[in-house]
């Protein structure tokens, strides 16, 4: 127990970290691609990036990168190993925490596991500038918890009615029940820059009427065949086709993220994120 307290104190002395959740409501809109490409582009720009694969149902960050995962968070929670030991290294030096397989939810833990998770993060030896959380599709408690706990929420949307309505549903829940009112929108798979703007207008037309939220369009990612080609090569586009249109869009999104301000005070620390994550459901 004293170990845990000293771990937390230690963390307060450490650097602040930017925590960004990537969500969107609908499945298949490009959340994992946005998470990984942005993370790797940030890594290429010299940032120390950690990606948390929070898609517990179908953990696919490792699959997408062709990495082999031997142990995951469940082994950390059971005390078999430390967080640093389960991190796998991806391209551009990024580190990835693989999801727990099976049905166990990271936000539905027993009290000892809860304490174990805090301890695991507080004792983490590697330091990071940015934590990117790739969430699952849908509006489950787990998605809401991760999204609520982050400092910035990036919502990936496509120009399809179901993507727009699912994204709306997510924003409605987050603003109504979880105190999240600011959203950064990534318009993905658009055919022209104009389509990206129009998609954003469609979204804000409904949110302005019915919700008390503030939206910002932070990136327009073009539909790019090279994304599918890189997925087949188990690579990401910023690596496999760095000069393609979507790769350029991811790199400029990464540059933008680097300039987002860090919150002052406690909320800039990882400890705050974990506490928020476990606070309530
Ligand atoms: N900009 C794009 N251009 C072309 N194809 C894309 C683009 N973005 C994503 N895709 C393709 O869309 C599919 C879904 O992408 P991805 O797995 O990133 O979505 P997701 O939102 O994480 O899905 P899930 O909800 O299942 O986790 C993939 O086959 C990917 O190659
Ligand atoms: Mg995904």
């Amino acid at each position: 127990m004293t170990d845990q307290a000293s771990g937390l104190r230690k963390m307060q002395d450490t650097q602040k970290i930017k925590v960004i959740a990537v969500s969107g409501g609908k499945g298949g809109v490009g959340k994992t691609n946005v998470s990984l490409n942005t993370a790797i582009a940030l890594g290429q720009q010299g940032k120390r990036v950690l990606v948390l694969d929070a898609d517990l149902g179908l953990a696919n960050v490792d699959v997408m990168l062709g990495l082999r995962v031997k142990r995951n968070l469940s082994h950390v929670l059971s005390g078999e190993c430390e967080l640093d030991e389960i991190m796998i290294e991806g391209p551009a030096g990024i580190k990835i925490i693989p999801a727990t397989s099976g049905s166990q939810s990271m936000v539905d833990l027993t009290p000892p596991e809860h304490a174990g998770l805090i301890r695991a993060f507080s004792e983490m030896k590697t330091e990071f500038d940015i934590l990117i959380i790739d969430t699952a599709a849908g509006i489950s408690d787990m998605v809401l918890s991760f999204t609520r706990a982050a400092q910035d929420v990036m919502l990936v949307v496509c120009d399809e009615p179901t993507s727009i309505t699912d994204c709306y549903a997510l924003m409605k829940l987050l603003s109504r029940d979880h105190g999240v009112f600011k959203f950064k929108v990534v318009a993905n798979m658009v055919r022209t820059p104009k389509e990206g703007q129009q998609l954003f207008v469609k979204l804000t037309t409904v949110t302005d009427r019915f919700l008390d939220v503030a939206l910002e369009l932070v990136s327009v990612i073009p539909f790019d065949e090279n994304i599918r080609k890189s997925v087949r090569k188990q690579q990401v586009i910023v690596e496999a086709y760095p000069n393609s249109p979507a790769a350029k869009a991811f790199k400029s999104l990464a540059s933008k993220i680097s300039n987002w301000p860090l919150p002052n005070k406690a909320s800039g620390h990882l400890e705050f994120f974990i506490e928020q994550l476990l606070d309530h459901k």
Side-chain angles (χ1 to χ4, degrees), residues 46-267:
K47 298 284 180 216
R48 300 167 300 175
V49 188
L50 178 62
V51 174
L52 176 62
D53 183 357
D55 191 348
L56 304 188
L58 284 164
N60 50 17
V61 166
D62 50 310
V63 175
M64 252 177 73
L65 294 172
L67 301 169
R68 289 191 58 165
V69 173
K70 292 194 203 86
R71 290 183 291 194
N72 57 42
L73 260 184
S74 68
H75 300 98
V76 176
L77 295 176
S78 64
E80 283 167 59
C81 58
E82 295 186 7
L83 204 51
D84 298 76
E85 296 175 89
I86 65 159
M87 285 179 194
I88 46 179
E89 188 157 335
I94 69 159
K95 296 275 168 61
I96 298 151
I97 299 181
T100 45
S101 52
S103 57
Q104 194 201 18
S105 155
M106 196 169 145
V107 292
D108 195 18
L109 305 173
T110 62
E113 286 173 330
H114 184 129
L117 189 69
I118 294 181
R119 185 186 43 75
F121 274 93
S122 66
E123 288 175 356
M124 197 167 81
K125 288 175 194 72
T126 330
E127 282 195 11
F128 295 98
D129 303 306
I130 298 164
L131 168 62
I132 294 183
I133 305 162
D134 178 23
T135 72
I139 48 171
S140 64
D141 283 346
M142 198 170 60
V143 170
L144 293 171
S145 296
F146 277 112
T147 312
R148 185 201 60 217
Q151 295 153 13
D152 290 291
V153 179
M154 290 211 296
L155 298 177
V156 185
V157 234
C158 300
D159 197 5
E160 291 167 22
T162 47
S163 171
I164 294 171
T165 51
D166 285 8
C167 187
Y168 177 83
L170 180 62
M171 287 190 279
K172 185 176 170 183
L173 272 175
L174 283 166
S175 58
R176 196 190 61 192
D177 303 338
H178 300 278
V180 184
F181 302 102
K182 284 188 184 162
F183 300 98
K184 296 189 155 78
V185 176
V186 176
N188 189 26
M189 298 196 224
V190 302
R191 301 283 170 174
T192 60
K194 198 171 161 214
E195 192 191 307
Q197 297 291 335
Q198 286 167 341
L199 168 56
F200 184 66
V201 170
K202 277 185 207 169
L203 205 58
T204 48
T205 306
V206 275
T207 55
D208 284 353
R209 268 190 75 185
F210 302 109
L211 303 180
D212 186 18
V213 295
L215 272 56
E216 183 192 348
L217 180 63
V218 292
S219 182
V220 175
I221 315 279
F223 181 90
D224 192 334
E225 258 319 311
N226 295 311
I227 288 202
R228 282 169 215 270
K229 279 198 224 160
S230 6
V231 171
R232 280 197 291 272
K233 290 165 81 172
Q234 290 195 311
Q235 284 186 343
V236 293
I237 192 168
V238 291
E239 274 228 312
Y241 304 97
N243 296 315
S244 64
K248 285 183 180 161
F250 285 123
K251 287 184 211 175
S252 82
L253 173 59
S255 307
K256 226 180 225 183
I257 289 173
S258 295
N259 292 322
W260 289 352
L262 273 168
N264 37 31
K265 296 182 293 187
S267 58

